[in-house]
Structure formats: structure tokens, C-alpha cells
Amino acid sequence: MTTLAPALVRAYREARYEVDGDLPLTLQVDAYSEALAALMTFNGVDSAAYVTAFNPGGARTEAALNTAADARLHAQLQAAGWRAVRASGHDPRGEWPDEPGWLVLGVTAAQADALGQAFGQNAVLHAGEDAIVHLRLLR
């Protein structure tokens, strides 16, 4: 059972998560991504997660704080040895600004949850070897 407002959960579900890199792709919650499956296979991993450090707790946060938190998250990902590709969440309704984050290759769902919690996030996305993107609520 989540403590998040239904409208916020809906926004996470409806968002489109754009992944940069050599082969750009778009992730959607509860959808299979052939491009993600190919990216995971190419990198020799069987999982991936989208994690952001922007707007902790779903509260709009000033740009400088978001940027600093993003830099800390990226440094943590690098220190752990995970390959991270720049990504960004987009609200198709335009109610929320884009939220830069990272598609992290090779992380388990538990590791993705821990990263999200460490940066005060309400949710993360995770896909296993089936390349279906799942919304994981953390609150």
C-alpha cells in the first residue's frame, strides 16, 4: 500500500522516460521495450533501472540543489562500477518539468530501490530480463 497521492502515481505511470546514448529509446511503465532488451543484451546484463535525484519526495526543488544531487548520484553510480546512461522523465501533460536521471544497467530491483531511497525518491523504474518496465513505489 502506497502513501503517495493517486495523481502522483498516475503521473509516474504516464510519463515517458527518454534514454540518450548511441541508441536512444523511450521507456513506458508496464510496457515491453525491444530497444531496452537489445541494450541490455549488448551490455551483457539482464536488468536496468531508471533512477533520478531530482525533486526528492515529489517536491519541486530549486535547480542548483537538483543539479548537485544528480552529480552525487552519478558519482555513486560510477563508484559502484555500474554503466549509467543519461535519461530524462517527461510528463506528457506538461504539469511537471523534465527530470533528468540515469538508466543504470545491471542493477537488481533491490539495488534500484536502495538508490531511490538514498536520494529521497518516491519511485524508481526497474526492468528484468523480460525488458518490461515496472514502477516500484518506495513510499
Side-chain angles (χ1 to χ4, degrees):
M1 172 85 81
T2 183
T3 60
L4 299 174
L8 188 56
V9 174
R10 184 190 75 235
Y12 294 142
R13 289 190 173 286
E14 292 177 355
R16 299 297 176 258
Y17 301 88
E18 306 288 335
V19 180
D20 299 337
D22 295 335
L23 184 65
L25 59 110
T26 301
L27 303 176
Q28 296 177 255
V29 172
D30 295 331
Y32 168 75
S33 172
E34 184 175 340
L36 179 60
L39 181 65
M40 290 189 306
T41 297
F42 179 80
N43 284 278
V45 299
D46 62 2
S47 61
Y50 172 81
V51 181
T52 183
F54 273 59
N55 301 319
R60 294 177 198 248
T61 303
E62 74 178 67
L65 294 175
N66 279 331
T67 300
D70 180 66
R72 287 192 308 276
L73 173 58
H74 190 231
Q76 186 172 334
L77 298 173
Q78 288 180 313
W82 285 312
R83 175 149 191 259
V85 180
R86 178 51 91 188
S88 185
H90 301 285
D91 176 6
R93 294 174 183 246
E95 295 172 7
W96 280 89
D98 291 350
E99 286 193 358
W102 300 95
L103 180 70
V104 187
L105 300 172
V107 297
T108 66
Q111 290 167 323
D113 290 354
L115 284 167
Q117 290 167 337
F119 286 87
Q121 297 301 305
N122 291 331
V124 297
L125 302 182
H126 186 266
E129 62 186 320
D130 61 2
I132 296 174
V133 178
H134 299 281
L135 178 65
R136 298 182 56 82
L137 301 176
L138 305 176
R139 298 178 192 270

